[in-house]
Amino acid sequence: MSDPIAGAESAIPEPPAGMQGTPGFMLRVVKDYRVAFLIVGTANTVIGFLWFALFQATIGQVWGYMATLLFAHVASVLCAFILYRRFVFRVRGHVWRDLARFESVYLVALGINAILLPLLVEFGHLIPIVAQALIVFVTTLVSFFGHRNFSFRRKSAASEAEKTDKPQVSDS
């Protein structure tokens, strides 16, 4: 006798947001893209913060905390892109387009960070590491919604077929 619940647990979820390709490892394990995103995002946040600490301890001592932010941003985005693309979304093709879209989400987060970091350091009198630790909560929310709705989104096959099958209507 088969267990219907066991069969349901082994079902692989559909990729979210019209994404194509097999689900990544985390999505296959936890079966919910939000949880998979959260797990990889948490790891990515820790890694990004470690990049910031590393660059602050090295180039930040010479060029300042804003240079640290820029270097940490580049290293973090490349690392995060690989992690999300490999372990969560598992999309195929369009690497450069996906990276550009991914970076555009992180540029919004970087802009927020570039405004808040000097405010917290110069006016809040926090050391850069502490200020960055506080900011990471805000930028994590921005990146979650941006990546979920934009970075790895693919048009569904149905919407593509719908566009090509519809007759063109003229307004004249």
Side-chain angles (χ1 to χ4, degrees):
M1 194 144 101
S2 69
D3 183 2
I5 295 173
E9 287 177 353
S10 65
I12 297 175
E14 287 292 315
M19 295 172 197
Q20 298 170 341
T22 60
F25 171 77
M26 289 304 300
L27 195 54
R28 288 192 311 267
V29 170
V30 298
K31 311 277 191 264
D32 184 330
Y33 80 94
R34 294 167 297 198
V35 175
F37 189 94
L38 183 62
I39 292 168
V40 173
T42 300
N44 177 58
T45 300
V46 170
I47 292 167
F49 188 76
L50 290 173
W51 279 119
F52 186 87
L54 172 72
F55 287 121
Q56 181 60 23
T58 55
I59 65 163
Q61 299 304 307
V62 178
W63 293 336
Y65 62 84
M66 292 305 282
T68 296
L69 179 62
L70 197 57
F71 277 79
H73 171 80
V74 171
S76 296
V77 165
L78 293 175
C79 184
F81 180 73
I82 292 166
L83 289 174
Y84 284 125
R85 190 173 168 91
R86 178 83 177 127
F87 293 107
V88 178
F89 299 115
R90 191 73 177 189
V91 294
R92 294 188 193 132
H94 308 294
V95 174
W96 294 110
R97 184 183 76 185
D98 288 348
L99 181 57
R101 290 168 67 131
F102 192 81
E103 172 62 3
S104 69
V105 168
Y106 274 117
L107 284 175
V108 171
L110 178 65
I112 292 167
N113 206 330
I115 292 168
L116 292 179
L117 188 60
L119 286 175
L120 292 175
V121 170
E122 303 303 327
F123 299 109
H125 305 291
L126 298 175
I127 61 171
I129 293 290
V130 173
Q132 186 62 25
L134 295 173
I135 294 167
V136 81
F137 293 107
V138 175
T139 57
T140 298
L141 287 173
V142 169
S143 67
F144 170 76
F145 290 110
H147 296 316
R148 183 186 72 178
N149 297 321
F150 181 68
S151 295
F152 296 108
R153 188 175 191 90
R154 298 286 193 268
K155 293 178 183 171
S156 69
S159 69
E160 283 297 311
E162 189 177 294
K163 283 182 182 178
T164 58
D165 291 342
K166 281 186 177 177
Q168 298 296 322
V169 179
S170 174
D171 290 333
S172 51

